[in-house]
């Protein structure tokens, strides 16, 4: 593909990607730097409010609902188990 994977992503530039495997089907989603920062903070254990606050303070136009929807549909979150 000469440095350009399917979808037009430039493989010669560093880029954050969300890689999930729901039902053993690998899915790759390119992320903007703000999406990467937000999701990384959640994975690191920050609360939703903390992560949203940091990213929205940097960019008030950040698509919080779209990024959260991507995370949900990609299967990034696990179900909560209560004992």
């Amino acid at each position: 593909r000469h440095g350009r994977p399917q979808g037009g992503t430039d493989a010669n530039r560093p880029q954050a990607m969300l890689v999930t495997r729901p039902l053993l089907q690998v899915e790759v989603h390119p992320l903007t730097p703000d999406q990467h920062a937000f999701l990384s903070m959640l994975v690191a254990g920050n609360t939703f409010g903390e992560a949203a606050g940091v990213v929205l303070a940097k960019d008030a136009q950040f698509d919080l609902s779209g990024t959260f929807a991507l995370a949900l549909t990609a299967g990034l979150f696990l179900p909560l188990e209560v004992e």
Side-chain angles (χ1 to χ4, degrees), residues 12-55:
N12 295 314
R13 287 187 14 229
Q15 185 174 13
M17 305 294 254
L18 172 62
V19 180
T20 59
R21 195 177 70 182
L23 304 173
L24 302 178
Q25 178 69 29
V26 176
E27 295 180 6
V28 179
H29 306 275
L31 300 174
T32 67
D34 288 339
Q35 288 176 316
H36 177 257
F38 174 74
L39 295 175
S40 292
M41 285 185 274
L42 293 180
V43 169
N46 293 83
T47 67
F48 185 90
E50 291 168 341
V54 168
V55 176

Side-chain angles (χ1 to χ4, degrees), residues 28-83:
V28 179
H29 306 275
L31 300 174
T32 67
D34 288 339
Q35 288 176 316
H36 177 257
F38 174 74
L39 295 175
S40 292
M41 285 185 274
L42 293 180
V43 169
N46 293 83
T47 67
F48 185 90
E50 291 168 341
V54 168
V55 176
L56 287 169
K58 182 181 171 198
D59 178 6
Q61 300 302 313
F62 174 66
D63 184 8
L64 182 59
S65 61
T67 302
F68 190 62
L70 169 64
L72 286 176
T73 58
L76 187 61
F77 302 110
L78 298 174
L80 179 63
E81 294 182 19
V82 179
E83 294 183 17

